[in-house]
Structure formats: C-alpha cells, structure tokens
Amino acid sequence: MAVTAEQSMILTLSCPDRPGIVSAVSGLLYQSGCNILDAQQFDDVETGRFFMRVLFGRLGHAKSEAEIASLVNEVAERLTMTFTLRPASSVKRVMLLVSKFDHCLADLLYRWRTGELPMEVTAVVSNHGYEHGASADLAELPFHHLPISKQNKMEQEARIWDLVQETNTDLVILARYMQILSDGLSAKLAGRCINIHHSFLPGFKGAKPYHQAHERGVKLIGATAHYVTSDLDEGPIIEQDVERISHKDTPDDLVRKGRDIERRVLARAVLYHLEDRVILNGKKTVVFTG
C-alpha cells in the first residue's frame, strides 16, 4: 500500500546497547499499523550506545500519531531511550545569522527557495546592515540589524535569544556570522545551532586563514560544519570536505575555493539536521546520510 508524505513519520533514538532494541521498535510499529520505509542503525562499541533512525508510514488502519507517540514513550522508559518523533511533512523553523560575507547565506536561501532545503526561514539576523546581503531572497524575509560592540554584546545576544523564542525557531545557522557566541547563549542553543568553520578542523586560527595556509604551502583546504558549544570551534562535527591545492594557487584562489567548500559543507550539514539524520554522541555525532 502506498504511503504519502503526510502519513510518514521519523523516529530517531539512542540508548544503552542491549539485545532486543530493533525487535522492540519494529514490533511496536507493526502493532501500530505502520510500515517501515527506511531504517538505519549504529552500535557504538566504544561507548556502548545504540543509535537508530526509522522512517515509517502510517497505513489506513494505523493508530493515531498521539497513540504511536505514547507507545514509543513506553518503550523509551523501559530501554532508557532518548528519542525524537515527528511527522516527516513537518518543516523546521530556521534562523540565519550572518556578517559581511554572504556567500553561505545566499546559497542557503537559494536552496530554500528551490525546495532543496525543507525549512521555514523565520528571520535573518546580521551585525552588519541590509546592504551587505546580495541575495534577492532577503527582500521577502524579516531582517534584523543588530550591530555588536564590546559594550552591547550581551544586550544584543539577549535580543537574538528573544527572537529565537518569539519565532519558535528550531535551528539557528551561523552562516559566516563572525561573532563568538557567549557560553550562555551557546548552552541555550545546544544541539540546535550549526556553525561553518573555514578550515578542516583543527586548522589555522585567527585572521586570514587562507593566507596562512598559502604561506605554509598547504595541499588541501577544507571546511567544517559543527554544532556550537562553549568550547570555541570544538563542537560535535556534522560534515567536512576538502579540496586539493597546488603551488600555482594564489591566496585569492584559496579564498574562492574555500567559499565553495563552505557553501556545500554547510548545506549538507543543514539538510542532515533538517531530516533528523544527526544524533549527538557525546562530543561526536552519528550521521545517517542515507
């Protein structure tokens, strides 16, 4: 029997590994009148934890979403399981933070407009003016200019947090937002704030990273998308990519190639999060890429 997107749901879970987890989940879904469409699992032998993502469809005689959620909660309590469960058709609400460099912002908005990224953009926030955003998509979105200085940083961060709450934002994306979030805001956004870093971490820190890389004669440059934590640039990594560099490449070549890597790495990381393919595993992540 065919299942529409509106009838599909996504379940993600993690728990201490033990026999019978897959049986418990699949049995629950079968008894609820559901059909498993896709399932991925991972047993981390180092931590002794089990991770799973299941896409399933509710057939005509299936229990309601609320009833399924109640049954999942019962299994979760029995197996000490952390889980998420939502309709596959529900769209997450996303806030984009940006500074002067707008290549990642423009790319994300293009992918959003064309339907590649299933999300609802709640706002664009920048510490620089509207004129720095080249994307035509900005015209139809709420834009908040919150300039930041040493004197008003905490006040502006409080405003950002207010916006997150007022708009019911599910995910915050630092699309080359060149401000370090405070420990307090990082904690509030734990697991739902993604940053793009202009290197294959660990890498060159400080100003002009591509110029530093050029001076060292690197053969690879890269980018890293990770969740934001209070430990600067050390949050759980979601996605990375690299590109070959030769002695012929100038610093401008590295900047150009670096922007391209940043765009595609951030877009992939955001898509994985939007589709519930990322599960935190301590300081790491489990990413079910499909």
Side-chain angles (χ1 to χ4, degrees):
M1 180 181 296
V3 177
T4 66
E6 288 72 21
Q7 295 171 305
S8 300
M9 300 187 73
I10 300 173
L11 169 66
T12 68
L13 62 92
S14 66
C15 61
D17 190 29
R18 56 178 287 184
I21 300 172
V22 175
S23 175
V25 173
S26 59
L28 177 157
L29 295 177
Y30 173 74
Q31 294 169 10
S32 299
C34 300
N35 182 39
I36 294 177
L37 305 175
D38 181 73
Q40 296 173 283
Q41 64 191 63
F42 172 66
D43 179 8
D44 188 341
V45 296
E46 294 182 354
T47 63
R49 292 193 66 80
F50 178 84
F51 302 84
M52 192 174 189
R53 178 186 186 272
V54 184
L55 171 67
F56 64 91
R58 296 172 55 246
L59 303 179
H61 61 285
K63 294 183 181 297
S64 68
E65 293 180 4
E67 290 174 320
I68 294 173
S70 178
L71 291 173
V72 172
N73 191 62
E74 291 178 9
V75 172
E77 291 182 356
R78 176 160 52 89
L79 299 178
T80 319
M81 177 189 297
T82 300
F83 73 93
T84 67
L85 177 68
R86 69 174 179 90
S89 59
S90 66
V91 178
K92 295 185 178 179
R93 297 170 60 80
V94 176
M95 182 178 294
L96 302 165
L97 273 60
V98 66
S99 293
K100 284 186 177 181
F101 301 110
D102 72 338
H103 54 286
C104 286
L105 172 68
D107 182 70
L108 292 174
L109 292 180
Y110 172 79
R111 295 175 191 267
W112 159 69
R113 177 164 52 83
T114 58
E116 183 178 338
L117 290 177
M119 62 186 187
E120 181 178 348
V121 180
T122 60
V124 176
V125 179
S126 179
N127 58 319
H128 292 277
Y130 184 89
E131 65 276 8
H132 291 284
S135 175
D137 293 309
L138 282 176
E140 58 186 274
L141 295 171
F143 183 89
H144 302 270
H145 178 207
L146 301 179
I148 292 180
S149 65
K150 292 182 179 180
Q151 291 73 30
N152 74 352
K153 181 177 177 64
M154 298 311 296
E155 176 185 342
Q156 298 294 57
E157 277 204 352
R159 180 55 185 144
I160 291 173
W161 176 242
D162 287 343
L163 285 172
V164 169
Q165 295 179 296
E166 291 167 7
T167 58
N168 294 316
T169 289
D170 301 303
L171 174 66
V172 173
I173 302 173
L174 307 186
R176 290 307 303 271
Y177 182 66
M178 307 306 289
Q179 293 289 324
I180 299 173
L181 301 188
S182 67
D183 291 354
L185 185 56
S186 296
K188 291 176 181 177
L189 295 174
R192 57 188 185 120
C193 182
I194 297 176
N195 183 38
I196 182 68
H197 193 277
H198 48 224
S199 71
F200 191 80
L201 292 175
F204 299 101
K205 296 182 179 181
K208 297 186 176 180
Y210 292 119
H211 290 72
Q212 295 181 54
H214 181 261
E215 291 173 0
R216 293 287 298 276
V218 302
K219 304 307 178 191
L220 287 173
I221 60 171
T224 301
H226 63 91
Y227 286 118
V228 172
T229 66
S230 58
D231 295 322
L232 181 63
D233 298 329
E234 294 185 15
I237 293 172
I238 306 170
E239 178 66 352
Q240 294 181 293
D241 203 352
V242 295
E243 185 160 332
R244 298 291 305 182
I245 296 298
S246 81
H247 59 277
K248 295 181 181 179
D249 288 307
T250 66
D252 287 342
D253 291 329
L254 268 63
V255 169
R256 173 177 53 80
K257 292 182 178 182
R259 285 175 177 169
D260 187 53
I261 302 172
E262 291 166 11
R263 283 191 290 260
R264 63 179 187 254
V265 168
L266 181 58
R268 286 200 295 262
V270 170
L271 180 61
Y272 295 155
H273 183 97
L274 294 176
E275 294 184 342
D276 292 336
R277 296 185 179 277
V278 187
I279 305 177
L280 287 170
N281 183 18
K283 295 182 178 180
K284 302 183 293 182
T285 60
V286 173
V287 184
F288 293 120
T289 58

